[in-house]
Amino acid sequence: MTANATTSRRGRRRGSGARRSASSGDNPHLEVPFIRRAIPTYDILGEPALERIEATADRILAEIGMEFREDPETVDLFRAAGGTVREQSPDVWNIRFEPGLIRDLLKTAPATFTQHARNPANNVEIGGDAVVFAPAYGSPFVMDLDQGRRYGTIEDFRNFIKLGQSSPWLHHSGGTICEPTDIPVNKRHLDMVYSHIRYSDRGFLGSITAPERAADSIAMCRILFGADFVDENCVIMGNFNTTSPLVLDGNTTRGIRTYAAAGQGSIHLPFLLGGAVSPLTMAGAVAQCLAESMTSCALTQLVRPGAPAVLGSFLSTMSLRSGSPTFGTAEPALGSLVMGQLARRLSLPLRCAGNFSTSKLPDAQAMQQAMMSMLSAVQCGANYLLHSAGFLDGLLSMSYEKFMLDTDACGALHVYLNGLDTSDDALGFDALAELGPGQHLFGTAHTLRHYKTAYYDSALDDNQPWETWSEQGGIDAATRANARWKAVLAAYEPPPLDPAIDAALLDFMTEKKTSMPDAWY
Amino acid sequence: MTANATTSRRGRRRGSGARRSASSGDNPHLEVPFIRRAIPTYDILGEPALERIEATADRILAEIGMEFREDPETVDLFRAAGGTVREQSPDVWNIRFEPGLIRDLLKTAPATFTQHARNPANNVEIGGDAVVFAPAYGSPFVMDLDQGRRYGTIEDFRNFIKLGQSSPWLHHSGGTICEPTDIPVNKRHLDMVYSHIRYSDRGFLGSITAPERAADSIAMCRILFGADFVDENCVIMGNFNTTSPLVLDGNTTRGIRTYAAAGQGSIHLPFLLGGAVSPLTMAGAVAQCLAESMTSCALTQLVRPGAPAVLGSFLSTMSLRSGSPTFGTAEPALGSLVMGQLARRLSLPLRCAGNFSTSKLPDAQAMQQAMMSMLSAVQCGANYLLHSAGFLDGLLSMSYEKFMLDTDACGALHVYLNGLDTSDDALGFDALAELGPGQHLFGTAHTLRHYKTAYYDSALDDNQPWETWSEQGGIDAATRANARWKAVLAAYEPPPLDPAIDAALLDFMTEKKTSMPDAWY
């Protein structure tokens, strides 16, 4: 019996009881397994400008080429597909592609696909008008207001899964939410995948740090979903970074091939820090991003045509005084809007941006940068928004408080993406006509009919009068978020998991862990 | 000699020396007297939905009508223009307008006009693709991290003018930045207008609290610019609120008539709190906003065809648990985007939104809400953005720290509105080609050519590594903003003002002040 069957029979609502017991911030009418964008995308460039960017991406691939390392099988695949291979050393190849070649390879990739969750009510679509929010990914550190910054542990990792599962405003459990640095590097992927399965019933990302860890991740999904189901459906995705500029190393390409061969999803992300690994000028960064991500996506189609592949974009800037990376600034917001246009022209799903920030605290800077970045992702038509919650300290730290602030903002974005209803009832002529000029509308039939659902009810914003707020201690948003994550964790209840599956997963982990010595690199 | 001649001969750059001495945050290549939007507007509704909103606005005016109070001259003007007047009491009239009538009256209003500043380098266009940022307006309280919240004084008022003048990221000095509550109500307009003239050399707003105070404001401009210049040019604007729902009181309409008769600008703003003075549903609030603001604008054209009039939109929501107003939420952001579309269909300039927040501190909530609101204004094509800096506590308090955070964000919005350059140089093929795959771009010719201007340099964001930030005290953005406003105030130098004009202004004020007893209501 698969987990799907188990949980769907139970007919539970998404999420745990945690948030149902919350005193505020409930907006049941807005809860969805994923969002369907009901507003147009924000398209800032016209056709000629988009064509210039695409032509530059093609020129990069044709005249500079991509470098591949330590994976001759991937080189053979691209050679067979028409790439011009030049061996630079026994383990390094430069491959150039005639304009349009990579684009042609992408034609078999699906424009939209479903990632199945162990609770089918939490299945998400990736692509088209679907929008999926997932936690931030990859921080070595965690931080909270009580203990400050420290290395992440498996306990932190589980905590963030629980906080995510408890929030109706995320749709996906993410992947390496923080690095569980207390577990050996060569074994922590097992604990991470197990924790996603055990503490969440949403979709998640698997390991990408080595091909055998990718294989382990998929094997655990076979235990959870059944091997046949996994062969026919996407139940896990891997998030792969290019080594910018213009390099795909062997570990990455072998990992990509592992996911694609299993028919599983993969995300193809150039992490572009302007001036360091991409041009400082945003159009150049976007062209490079397109070239790198298209090529990485194309590999999946050479391995298994039709395998789900997601175009990726992560644009950042740097402080011109210190050389430090900067996140959540205005220039990448423009770049993200353009990446949305380019992804649609390719008919590929897009992962883009998130609640980015360079701040070291969940303060004004953090949320100003987060909103600049997150709105660009929401407006550009991005489909999968990793880094939707918790991102702080330039992605070096997952913040407990910012996680809560971000998820609350994600809730408001459900309203935003629903757009503006112009039905007769929403136009509300009767509301004004009932009492006429100069009369408050508090008691009108229209107000009474709509007041419970008209506006998003934030769980964290303080909207009280200053006097009340002051009498209650005058605390700031970060302090409220601190109390909130503790309350949510305390109220968390794990979603049910078939004990037989749980035992099989634990057996698999034990076998794997005992088969090799610990490694810390 | 007019002030214009004085300051233009000096040929000073905009702004004072204050910011030039700052150690960071200088972006001279981005400084402009006002922004020309180089990105498209974000249009979220299609033609049929917009027509439904417009038809509802017309229906409101035709079937419910607007109520006018205590200004028979305005009633006569609207009657003569075709309005159907019904006297409800000796001082209260309901006027209904056939669909299209108000729209026809607006055809003489300019789509774009120039507000002249005493330094002509600071003249701003209002309308079209021009975007003008101005400080927040109308708070009775001020707050800072040192003293908390207290009633605003004339010293606070002057401080905010100085802070605004010192920021290259605002373009206009605003109006009642905070209420100078230490000056009698019937005289404070004189000190406010004088302070704008004395401490800033940008455009500003005059008094609207009584018709004679509007007249005084314009009279002071005649001293500054010369009477002939004022008769032929817009040098001051008044910001007028309707008494929603659907009322224009006599004080307001007489003030509007005063500005219009003098050929000066006016802004026509329904302040719509959903569920209280407008429908809870955003489409209804937008339709009402359009009806009220169009009617208020139309009055100017009856007084003096061609007088500058600005459509206004201020949409807010309320907390469904407490009934408190909420600002900077997602629903009004959608409404603002639609108001931009409607203003363009009317060919009228638009004032819309700003850096709104309900927070009582310059914290995460404050800037999250601010960005949600401000980006909607920037994206909707709004032309005049009052409330661009300082807005906190639901507009009850001007915050010194948020003023600095907001202006810094306004700087980044200069970049945003400049859009994405897709010139060959910006596409940066050479940057990647120079060293090829796998090589950092720090030292490429492209990077060296662009690094000084590629990215906005924030004066307030902390982009340092965590360790450096921690060693330096680990302070938050609000604390940095606190230090910053003090440094900017300390470095402030007033722009030069012809002593003869200064003396004439002071004489005018003295005469006015001695002509009447103090009044505190």
Side-chain angles (χ1 to χ4, degrees), chain A residues 143-154:
Chain A
M143 47 169 68
D144 64 48
L145 293 187
D146 306 304
Q147 298 182 64
R149 187 168 97 153
R150 72 273 183 188
Y151 278 103
T153 65
I154 190 68

Side-chain angles (χ1 to χ4, degrees), chain A residues 321 360 365 457 464 480, chain B residues 321 365 457 464 480:
Chain A
R321 277 175 282 130
K360 270 67 71 181
Q365 177 184 340
D457 183 26
Q464 304 177 101
R480 292 193 295 275
Chain B
R321 276 174 282 132
Q365 177 185 341
D457 183 26
Q464 303 177 100
R480 292 193 296 274

Side-chain angles (χ1 to χ4, degrees), chain B residues 210-212 214-216 218 253-264 303:
Chain B
E212 63 276 16
D216 286 347
I218 296 166
T253 51
R254 285 196 301 264
I256 291 169
R257 290 196 288 108
T258 303
Y259 276 85
Q264 300 308 303
V303 172

Side-chain angles (χ1 to χ4, degrees), chain A residues 91-326:
Chain A
D91 257 353
V92 179
W93 300 265
N94 177 283
I95 312 186
R96 300 186 183 187
F97 304 95
E98 285 301 302
L101 192 156
I102 291 291
R103 217 172 285 274
D104 282 345
L105 296 180
L106 293 172
K107 286 183 176 160
T108 52
T112 301
F113 62 92
T114 296
Q115 180 179 354
H116 293 262
R118 73 175 176 93
N119 180 348
N122 293 336
N123 291 354
V124 292
E125 274 185 34
I126 312 263
D129 58 8
V131 182
V132 173
F133 295 154
Y137 182 108
S139 297
F141 300 102
V142 299
M143 47 169 68
D144 64 48
L145 293 187
D146 306 304
Q147 298 182 64
R149 187 168 97 153
R150 72 273 183 188
Y151 278 103
T153 65
I154 190 68
E155 186 187 351
D156 293 307
F157 187 89
R158 289 181 194 132
N159 283 344
F160 280 114
I161 293 176
K162 293 174 184 177
L163 292 174
Q165 169 77 5
S166 301
S167 173
W169 314 129
L170 298 178
H171 315 114
H172 192 277
S173 198
T176 308
I177 307 183
C178 65
E179 283 288 346
T181 61
D182 51 346
I183 297 180
V185 169
N186 62 334
K187 299 178 180 178
R188 64 176 65 149
H189 66 287
L190 299 163
D191 294 271
M192 289 197 278
V193 169
Y194 175 75
S195 297
H196 279 297
I197 294 172
R198 181 75 190 84
Y199 299 108
S200 168
D201 60 0
R202 292 177 174 154
F204 58 92
L205 304 178
S207 178
I208 49 87
T209 52
E212 64 275 17
R213 297 174 200 156
D216 285 348
S217 304
I218 297 166
M220 291 173 78
C221 284
R222 293 198 178 100
I223 295 172
L224 178 64
F225 288 94
D228 289 348
F229 190 86
V230 171
D231 192 49
E232 286 162 20
N233 296 282
C234 172
V235 299
I236 190 170
M237 296 197 292
N239 181 72
F240 294 94
N241 281 24
T242 48
T243 305
S244 302
L246 302 173
V247 176
L248 275 164
D249 67 41
N251 225 15
T252 301
T253 51
R254 285 195 302 263
I256 291 169
R257 291 195 288 110
T258 303
Y259 277 86
Q264 300 308 304
S266 50
I267 302 165
H268 302 263
L269 191 83
F271 187 142
L272 297 188
L273 173 58
V277 301
S278 78
L280 285 163
T281 46
M282 197 45 65
V286 169
Q288 177 186 342
C289 177
L290 185 63
E292 291 187 9
S293 189
M294 281 199 306
T295 306
S296 186
C297 284
L299 175 57
T300 63
Q301 302 307 300
L302 297 178
V303 173
R304 180 164 163 167
V310 178
L311 204 70
S313 168
F314 187 119
L315 302 164
S316 64
T317 52
M318 67 174 182
S319 164
L320 304 171
R321 277 175 282 130
S322 66
S324 299
T326 47

Side-chain angles (χ1 to χ4, degrees), chain B residues 100-398:
Chain B
L101 193 157
I102 291 292
R103 217 171 282 274
D104 283 344
L105 296 179
L106 293 172
K107 287 183 176 160
T108 53
T112 302
F113 62 92
T114 296
Q115 179 179 354
H116 292 261
R118 73 175 176 92
N119 180 349
N122 292 336
N123 291 354
V124 292
E125 275 185 33
I126 312 263
D129 59 7
V131 182
V132 172
F133 295 154
Y137 182 108
S139 297
F141 300 102
V142 298
M143 48 170 67
D144 64 48
L145 293 187
D146 306 304
Q147 298 182 64
R149 186 168 96 154
R150 72 272 184 189
Y151 279 104
T153 64
I154 191 67
E155 186 187 349
D156 292 307
F157 187 89
R158 289 180 194 133
N159 283 344
F160 281 113
I161 293 177
K162 293 174 184 177
L163 292 173
Q165 169 77 7
S166 301
S167 172
W169 314 128
L170 299 178
H171 315 114
H172 192 278
S173 197
T176 306
I177 307 182
C178 67
E179 284 287 346
T181 61
D182 51 346
I183 297 180
V185 170
N186 61 335
K187 299 180 180 176
R188 64 176 66 150
H189 65 288
L190 300 164
D191 293 270
M192 288 196 278
V193 169
Y194 176 76
S195 297
H196 279 297
I197 294 173
R198 182 73 189 84
Y199 300 108
S200 168
D201 61 359
R202 292 177 174 153
F204 59 92
L205 304 178
S207 179
I208 49 85
T209 52
E212 63 276 16
R213 296 173 200 156
D216 286 347
S217 304
I218 296 166
M220 291 174 78
C221 285
R222 293 198 178 100
I223 294 171
L224 177 63
F225 289 94
D228 289 349
F229 190 86
V230 171
D231 192 49
E232 287 163 18
N233 296 283
C234 172
V235 299
I236 190 170
M237 297 196 291
N239 181 71
F240 293 95
N241 281 24
T242 48
T243 306
S244 303
L246 302 173
V247 176
L248 275 163
D249 68 39
N251 226 14
T252 300
T253 51
R254 285 196 301 264
I256 291 169
R257 290 196 288 108
T258 303
Y259 276 85
Q264 300 308 303
S266 51
I267 302 165
H268 302 264
L269 192 84
F271 187 141
L272 297 188
L273 173 59
V277 301
S278 78
L280 285 163
T281 45
M282 197 45 63
V286 169
Q288 177 187 344
C289 176
L290 184 64
E292 292 187 9
S293 188
M294 282 199 306
T295 306
S296 186
C297 284
L299 175 57
T300 64
Q301 303 306 301
L302 298 177
V303 172
R304 180 165 162 168
V310 178
L311 203 71
S313 167
F314 188 120
L315 302 164
S316 63
T317 51
M318 68 174 181
S319 165
L320 304 170
R321 276 174 282 132
S322 65
S324 299
T326 47
F327 299 91
T329 51
E331 297 85 359
L334 293 170
S336 293
L337 293 176
V338 174
M339 276 306 299
Q341 295 187 265
L342 295 167
R344 281 188 292 286
R345 289 161 68 92
L346 274 174
S347 293
L348 282 182
L350 176 68
R351 176 203 149 182
C352 184
N355 269 309
F356 291 3
S357 178
T358 326
S359 182
K360 270 67 71 182
L361 288 172
D363 63 354
Q365 177 185 341
M367 292 312 288
Q368 187 262 310
Q369 293 181 321
M371 282 308 284
M372 170 63 86
S373 175
M374 189 68 178
L375 274 174
S376 76
V378 157
Q379 294 171 339
C380 85
N383 306 107
Y384 182 74
L385 284 78
L386 202 65
H387 302 315
S388 287
F391 187 121
L392 213 55
D393 187 17
L395 194 47
L396 288 174
S397 301
M398 271 299 282

